[in-house]
Amino acid sequence: MPDTARAPVILGNEPGSFPHGVLAERHPAIIQRVRDAFPYGPGQHRALDELLASCADGVIEPLPADAPDRDHWHAWGLPDHVGRSWYDVPWLWSESYFYRRLLDAVGYFGPGAWQGIDPFRPFKQAELDAPETDEELAALDALGELSERERGGALLHGSLWGNRADLGFRLSAAAAEAREPVPALVADDSEALWSLLPPGGAATLVLVADNAGRELVPDLLLIAHLLTEGRAERAVLHVKPHPYYVSDATTADVVDALQRLRAAPGAAGEYGRVLRSAMAGGRLDVRAHPFSCAPLPYAQMPDDLRAEFAAATLTIFKGDLNYRRLVGDRRWPPTTPFQRATAWFPGPVAALRTLKSDVITGLSAATETALVAAEGQRWRTSGTHALIQVGPSKYVQRQ
């Protein structure tokens, strides 16, 4: 387990803090967006209104007795939090439970006509169909002129930046950022990452996905590159078993992204065909473990998931939420080594993350000082900085 003595768990009960703003402002806005996106009936409207009131002034309530995942949530600490304010329990737990109750409110778990209908699908689909996606996919054609290592670097940065993926396809952008006083990439272990996936090996890559739409497409492109170039013999893509955190990827979102790729001209369409063939041939597997929606850090994952990560050549955790769960949703001193925070992990692990919350590890003292001098504490949550980190140290050979 990670050493947490100097890192208190983040709560949402400090007015003016980022977590407090999410609970007090973002969650009510999400309820309204979901309400407006579908022609729900009076029953769903009442349930959404009740959830809105609960978030504002109420307390955490139990799941219905017939909830299909009730046993999971009881094991994840629900009995200890029932009756407490949303603001007074760990923010990771509170935020996760909000999305679980939102699914209840819209009838996702049924029975009824709305069973299994993703309340966030219109937002995901709109992003996937946006003109910007066409531009990003068209940019793939230029990568064919690069060396394998340059192409891999571009696709790695595309996966890192997600819906800013177009930046990842312009290698000159990375060089420009490096000349800035506070670079966009605040930690870069990419050389260590590539050392774990040499060409011609028999690597098994596990990628724990984050968002759907225009952020999932670059993840799939990175996987396709690793499989095609022999840096991975097999890949496993972990997604959520049900809708979560508005934009988190599910199996249905993987299908949508693959269809978007296959329908595109040029290199994008070829990548889509590579991925579909890999899935049909067993070289790419999609999994949805229940713990992917747990309100807990990955240090508390069940034995079967731990064994899968232990057997992988490399596990890549994508995105901000997965980073919070990987290192623990705590107020770490920013200079806490990432490798110390992940020393418990059972195999080589990498994080590709755009910074959108307070949690951070692995910064140099000079980088932290420069960030604070330039931006105060906004750099933690603005989404304008990112990192590539690799650990634990016993698995990493520095270049």
Side-chain angles (χ1 to χ4, degrees):
M1 300 293 285
D3 178 10
T4 58
R6 298 172 59 208
V9 171
I10 294 176
L11 306 178
N13 57 6
E14 180 183 340
S17 68
F18 182 74
H20 188 278
V22 170
L23 296 174
E25 300 168 16
R26 184 182 298 179
H27 286 180
I30 289 170
I31 291 173
Q32 188 61 51
R33 286 187 70 197
V34 167
R35 182 185 180 114
D36 294 342
F38 281 100
Y40 291 125
Q44 282 88 7
H45 287 167
R46 281 193 301 271
L48 288 169
D49 289 342
E50 290 171 2
L51 179 59
L52 180 61
S54 174
C55 290
D57 302 307
V59 297
I60 293 169
E61 298 178 359
L63 287 174
D66 59 350
D69 54 353
R70 192 169 183 268
D71 289 345
H72 284 310
W73 278 95
H74 273 237
W76 296 338
L78 178 58
D80 297 331
H81 297 322
V82 167
R84 300 176 66 187
S85 166
W86 292 85
Y87 295 86
D88 292 336
V89 303
W91 180 44
L92 175 64
W93 200 100
S94 179
E95 200 177 11
S96 299
Y97 194 59
F98 164 78
Y99 287 101
R100 176 59 186 81
R101 293 314 307 258
L102 181 60
L103 293 182
D104 263 343
V106 298
Y108 179 85
F109 292 106
W114 293 99
Q115 185 176 24
I117 301 298
D118 183 348
F120 312 124
R121 181 171 171 77
F123 319 133
K124 297 175 179 178
Q125 202 64 43
E127 185 178 282
L128 194 60
D129 293 340
E132 292 85 356
T133 305
D134 290 322
E135 297 170 8
E136 291 163 5
L137 295 181
L140 290 169
D141 291 341
L143 297 187
E145 303 172 2
L146 304 177
S147 68
E148 183 274 331
R149 187 60 181 270
E150 290 174 325
R151 192 161 58 251
L155 292 172
L156 179 67
H157 278 256
S159 178
L160 169 66
W161 287 105
N163 61 10
R164 290 178 58 193
D166 57 314
L167 296 180
F169 298 140
R170 300 200 305 268
L171 295 183
S172 59
E177 289 167 1
R179 292 192 295 269
E180 296 294 326
V182 184
L185 195 59
V186 298
D188 185 5
D189 290 344
S190 54
E191 290 300 319
L193 186 153
W194 291 120
S195 74
L196 293 166
L197 299 171
T204 295
L205 171 74
V206 173
L207 192 149
V208 183
D210 185 33
N211 290 334
R214 287 173 58 209
E215 297 194 33
L216 180 59
V217 167
D219 297 342
L220 292 171
L221 294 172
L222 177 62
I223 290 173
H225 172 82
L226 296 174
L227 291 173
T228 301
E229 300 297 336
R231 288 185 176 270
E233 183 177 336
R234 180 172 171 270
V236 180
L237 179 66
H238 275 260
V239 296
K240 302 299 190 294
H242 54 70
Y244 194 59
Y245 277 72
V246 180
S247 56
D248 280 27
T250 66
T251 303
D253 298 318
V254 175
V255 173
D256 287 343
L258 282 173
Q259 290 176 336
R260 185 72 164 87
L261 280 172
R262 292 181 68 223
E270 181 56 34
Y271 276 118
R273 288 184 284 275
V274 165
L275 289 163
R276 186 177 179 89
S277 176
M279 293 180 72
R283 296 185 65 210
L284 172 58
D285 191 15
V286 179
R287 297 188 187 170
H289 195 286
F291 194 77
S292 294
C293 290
L296 303 173
Y298 270 99
Q300 297 176 236
M301 62 184 158
D303 291 342
D304 63 330
L305 193 55
R306 184 181 297 271
E308 180 172 342
F309 292 154
T313 307
L314 176 65
T315 299
I316 297 177
F317 283 87
K318 271 297 311 295
D320 196 80
L321 175 60
N322 281 325
Y323 189 88
R324 291 165 58 193
R325 296 185 66 198
L326 176 62
V327 303
D329 202 36
R330 293 174 173 271
R331 297 193 181 280
W332 296 103
T335 56
T336 302
F338 174 75
Q339 296 192 350
R340 182 189 302 169
T342 58
W344 59 272
F345 199 79
V349 64
L352 303 183
R353 177 218 182 184
T354 304
L355 277 59
K356 297 178 182 176
S357 68
D358 290 317
V359 177
I360 186 69
T361 67
L363 297 189
S364 68
T367 297
E368 182 193 5
T369 299
L371 286 165
V372 173
E375 304 177 31
Q377 295 299 324
R378 294 189 304 277
W379 60 272
R380 293 175 178 262
T381 59
S382 65
T384 57
H385 296 282
L387 55 79
I388 302 171
Q389 293 176 322
V390 178
S393 58
K394 60 185 175 182
Y395 299 111
V396 178
Q397 296 181 353
R398 292 292 174 186
Q399 302 297 299

